[in-house]
């Protein structure tokens, strides 16, 4: 593997004017970040303008996180490609942690530990433990953990799957054939706005239902509609 030094951050967006500025600023605070690419799925607010004002490259994409990530990552030039949700904050040491992880033998991709940005009800605590259990039991790193891998590896597996939902799980499936996925020694902080909107119990039930039906082979477009209708 060639020496890893630079990171391209790719953020899929759709009407994220309130969340995006803080996310972009924190990403620029990571010294290894060479570029930030915002792949926008048709925002009607100031998302695009704000991203450009903060030095990000903005590209238009068909809506859908998998499609947007595929479009954005194709433009990436960094040694490492990091996929970042618009409401997830990177710590300053994220770049060093990601690169160190990818230098380990047999590791082909990774994510970070996570916690929530605000104080959350006790029932939602234990996010770090859930990160470990999901990876150990199922081999998954979810999108709000900031999935990352080398650009070379991403090209090797054919890029981000152009799917309407579960793109990170599809990536994990492809990558497990060629190496290990691990957690880097850094912690991101993510929003719990989905939980606030739907309610904690309803959100966990929805996530469990989507995962169960995904493993049962339900078409991803049907899962996407069910997820967005909530």
């Amino acid at each position: 593997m060639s020496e890893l030094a630079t990171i391209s951050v790719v953020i899929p967006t759709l009407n994220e004017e309130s969340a995006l500025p803080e996310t972009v600023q924190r990403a620029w605070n990571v010294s290894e970040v060479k570029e930030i690419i915002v792949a926008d799925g048709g925002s009607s607010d100031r998302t695009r303008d704000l991203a450009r004002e903060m030095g990000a490259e903005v590209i238009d994409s068909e809506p859908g996180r998998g499609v947007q990530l595929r479009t954005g990552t194709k433009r990436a030039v960094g040694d490492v490609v990091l996929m970042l949700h618009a409401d997830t904050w990177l710590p300053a040491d994220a770049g060093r942690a990601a690169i160190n992880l990818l230098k380990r033998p047999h590791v082909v991709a990774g994510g970070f530990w996570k916690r929530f940005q605000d104080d959350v009800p006790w029932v939602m605590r234990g996010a770090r433990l859930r990160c470990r259990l999901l990876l150990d039991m199922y081999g998954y790193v979810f999108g709000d953990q900031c999935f990352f891998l080398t650009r070379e590896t991403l090209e090797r597996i054919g890029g981000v799957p152009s799917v309407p939902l579960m793109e990170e799980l599809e990536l994990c499936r492809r990558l497990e054939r060629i190496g290990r996925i691990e957690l880097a020694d850094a912690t991101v902080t993510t929003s719990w706005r989905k939980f606030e909107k739907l309610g904690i119990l309803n959100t966990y039930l929805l996530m469990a239902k989507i995962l169960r039906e995904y493993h049962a082979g339900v078409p991803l477009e049907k899962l996407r509609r069910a997820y967005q209708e909530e």
Side-chain angles (χ1 to χ4, degrees):
M1 179 185 296
S2 59
E3 184 66 24
L4 304 178
T6 60
I7 296 176
S8 294
V9 172
V10 180
I11 309 174
T13 58
L14 182 62
N15 295 329
E16 293 285 3
E17 64 177 7
S18 61
L20 188 64
E22 183 74 17
T23 298
V24 171
Q25 183 57 59
R26 288 176 182 258
W28 280 132
N29 289 342
V30 177
S31 60
E32 293 83 1
V33 170
K34 175 186 182 68
E35 63 178 355
I36 298 175
I37 301 168
V38 170
D40 188 71
S43 293
S44 57
D45 62 3
R46 297 191 63 239
T47 294
R48 290 187 188 85
D49 292 337
L50 290 171
R52 290 191 182 98
E53 290 170 9
M54 300 191 70
E57 177 185 0
V58 178
I59 59 175
D60 294 325
S61 169
E62 292 296 318
R65 196 150 58 203
V67 177
Q68 289 171 240
L69 285 170
R70 183 176 181 86
T71 301
T73 54
K74 282 184 174 180
R75 298 283 286 270
V77 298
D79 304 319
V80 174
V81 178
L82 187 150
M83 302 168 219
L84 178 65
H85 282 192
D87 61 355
T88 298
W89 299 343
L90 292 172
D93 61 346
R96 181 176 66 255
I99 288 173
N100 286 343
L101 181 71
L102 293 173
K103 289 179 178 179
R104 293 184 190 174
H106 311 300
V107 173
V108 294
F112 299 104
W113 303 90
K114 76 174 181 182
R115 62 178 178 83
F116 291 104
Q117 291 165 3
D118 305 302
D119 288 333
V120 294
W122 67 268
V123 72
M124 290 181 62
R125 294 172 186 169
R128 285 177 60 89
L129 176 61
R130 288 192 292 274
C131 290
R132 184 76 262 170
L133 290 176
L134 284 168
L135 181 58
D136 288 347
M137 294 174 65
Y138 303 108
Y140 295 158
V141 170
F142 283 97
D144 58 4
Q145 293 175 252
C146 308
F147 202 92
F148 59 83
L149 70 175
T150 67
R151 185 161 46 88
E152 179 182 305
T153 298
L154 185 59
E155 291 170 356
R156 177 181 172 187
I157 64 170
V160 177
S162 185
V163 293
L165 196 70
M166 300 295 195
E167 67 285 341
E168 67 268 53
L169 272 60
E170 291 290 307
L171 273 170
C172 289
R173 282 184 166 183
R174 294 183 183 185
L175 287 161
E176 68 183 3
R177 302 168 190 160
I178 62 172
R180 287 174 31 229
I181 301 169
E182 273 296 347
L183 295 174
D185 189 20
T187 302
V188 298
T189 50
T190 191
S191 169
W192 69 298
R193 59 185 177 176
K194 185 80 172 177
F195 292 88
E196 290 182 290
K197 178 182 177 182
L198 298 181
I200 296 170
L201 179 60
N202 287 339
T203 302
Y204 278 129
L205 289 174
L206 174 63
M207 292 166 64
K209 176 176 181 288
I210 295 292
L211 277 172
R212 183 174 64 252
E213 293 185 350
Y214 169 75
H215 286 292
V218 174
L220 291 176
E221 180 57 34
K222 183 177 179 180
L223 293 182
R224 182 194 65 82
R225 290 196 300 269
Y227 185 77
Q228 291 185 339
E229 285 170 1
E230 295 294 335

